[in-house]
Amino acid sequence: MPVYSMTGYASAQHSTANALPNADSRGPAAAQLGLEIRSVNSRFLDLTFRLPEDLRQFEPTLRDLIIGKLKRGKVEVRASIETTNASGVPEASPKLLQRLNSAQDSIKSWLPLASPLSVADVLRFAASEQSGVRDWSEDLMPLAQTVVKELLGARQREGGRLSSMLSERLEQLRALAAQATPLVPQLVEQQRQRFLDRWKEAMALTEGSTLPEAAQDRALTEATAFAIRIDVAEEITRLNSHLDEIERLLKKGGEVGKRLDFLIQELHREANTMGSKSTALELTHISVDMKVLIEQMREQVQNIE
C-alpha cells in the first residue's frame, strides 16, 4: 500500500451546452459546473464545503464520498456554477426585472439612502435564476468522483516523494549510528582510566607506587558507575530499532502518519540523550547531526496521512 501525503489539489469542470432553455434569440444558455478540492495537513479529517445554494443539498453525499476515501487532512471543497447564453452574458428575463424593480422600490420606501441595484447585481440574479432550473444530481457526483480520484493521485505522488526523502534520512541516520557505535567502548575505557589517574593524583602517590587495595576498589567502583552514566550503547540500540520500525512502516504504507510522528519523537529523545551523556566532541557532533536530520524528518512526517 502506498504512503499518502495530506497535501494535494485537484479540480475539474463539466460543461453542459444547450442544457438550459433560453428564450433569447441569440441562442440557448450554457452552464459549466466547476469543482475543486484542496487539502493540507491536520491531525484529523476536517471538511469544509463552499457550495452555491443550488448545490447545498449535495453536501451530505459529497461528505460521505470524501470520508470514504480520506482519513486525515484539512480538506476544502469548492463548487461553482457559471451559466451564460450564447453571447456570454446571462440574460435577465422581463419577469425577473419586474421583481427586482418592485423589490428595489419597496426597499427605498423604507431606506431612502440604500444604493440602487447595479448592472452587475442584476446579472448575478439572472445567472442564479438560470442555474436554478437545472437538476445537477446527474452531473455533480460523477464529477466529484473524478476530482477525488485525482486528489488521491496527487496525494499519493506527494507521499511517494516524502517516503523517498525519509528513506534517505534513515540511511544517513544509520551511518551516523554506525560511526558512534565503536566510539562507545573507547570512551568508556578512556573515562575509566582518566578517573583512576585523577584518583591517584588526588592521593598524591608517586610513580611506581600502588594504591591500597580498598582505595583501588573504591576507585574502580566510582569509575564503573561513571562509565555506566556516559555509556550511550543503549541509546544507539533503541535508535536503530526505531529506524527499523520507520522503514517497515514506509514499506507497509497506508495510515502511518501518527505512528511515524511518535517514532520521530522517540528518535529525537535518543539523539538528545546521546548528546547530554557525551564526553567526547566527536560524539557530540554526531548527536547534533542526528538531531538536524530528525528535525527534517519531523517536518515531512507532519504531512503524511
Side-chain angles (χ1 to χ4, degrees), residues 16-21 28-31 133-134 136:
T16 55
N18 303 333
L20 300 173
V133 300
R134 177 166 182 82
W136 292 103

Side-chain angles (χ1 to χ4, degrees), residues 22-243:
N22 191 312
D24 191 346
S25 60
R26 288 171 294 182
Q32 179 170 278
L33 172 64
L35 184 66
E36 66 175 35
I37 305 177
R38 64 185 67 205
S39 65
V40 295
N41 61 311
S42 176
R43 292 184 61 191
F44 308 101
L45 182 59
D46 181 9
L47 300 180
T48 302
F49 292 88
R50 302 189 184 279
L51 307 176
E53 287 301 322
D54 297 331
L55 302 178
R56 185 67 63 186
Q57 58 181 314
F58 300 107
E59 180 176 325
T61 308
L62 290 171
R63 184 180 296 273
D64 291 341
L65 172 64
I66 295 173
I67 290 177
K69 300 294 184 180
L70 307 180
K71 304 305 178 183
R72 293 178 63 201
K74 183 176 178 60
V75 181
E76 182 180 16
V77 181
R78 287 180 177 268
S80 62
I81 300 175
E82 295 182 4
T83 306
T84 60
N85 57 26
S87 67
V89 178
E91 182 68 20
S93 65
K95 186 177 295 186
L96 173 65
L97 293 174
Q98 290 174 3
R99 291 203 307 270
L100 291 177
N101 188 58
S102 175
Q104 180 173 246
D105 291 342
S106 177
I107 291 172
K108 278 196 168 290
S109 67
W110 289 92
L111 302 171
L113 298 181
S115 301
L117 286 169
S118 66
V119 174
D121 295 330
V122 175
L123 292 178
R124 269 199 309 274
F125 281 111
S128 176
E129 182 185 54
Q130 292 176 357
S131 66
V133 300
R134 177 166 182 82
D135 180 10
W136 292 103
S137 59
E138 296 182 0
D139 301 294
L140 180 61
M141 292 315 297
L143 184 65
Q145 291 172 354
T146 298
V147 176
V148 170
K149 183 178 179 180
E150 292 180 0
L151 178 68
L152 287 173
R155 286 168 58 125
Q156 181 178 342
R157 290 190 296 272
E158 179 63 19
R161 287 190 286 269
L162 293 177
S163 182
S164 297
M165 189 282 292
L166 291 173
S167 295
E168 292 175 1
R169 299 298 185 273
L170 287 177
E171 292 304 315
Q172 294 172 353
L173 285 171
R174 290 187 191 280
L176 289 173
Q179 295 176 25
T181 300
L183 294 176
V184 175
Q186 298 175 17
L187 294 175
V188 170
E189 182 57 32
Q190 289 174 8
Q191 290 300 319
R192 181 176 178 277
Q193 187 59 46
R194 188 178 303 160
F195 196 91
L196 287 173
D197 293 342
R198 290 180 178 176
W199 187 279
K200 292 179 182 179
E201 293 174 3
M203 297 187 67
L205 295 176
T206 60
E207 185 177 355
S209 63
T210 58
L211 285 171
E213 184 176 350
Q216 188 172 3
D217 289 343
R218 182 178 176 185
L220 289 173
T221 301
E222 294 290 339
T224 300
F226 185 75
I228 292 174
R229 288 197 299 272
I230 67 169
D231 188 357
V232 295
E234 185 176 350
E235 283 74 16
I236 294 176
T237 299
R238 285 198 297 265
L239 187 141
N240 280 318
S241 176
H242 297 328
L243 295 179

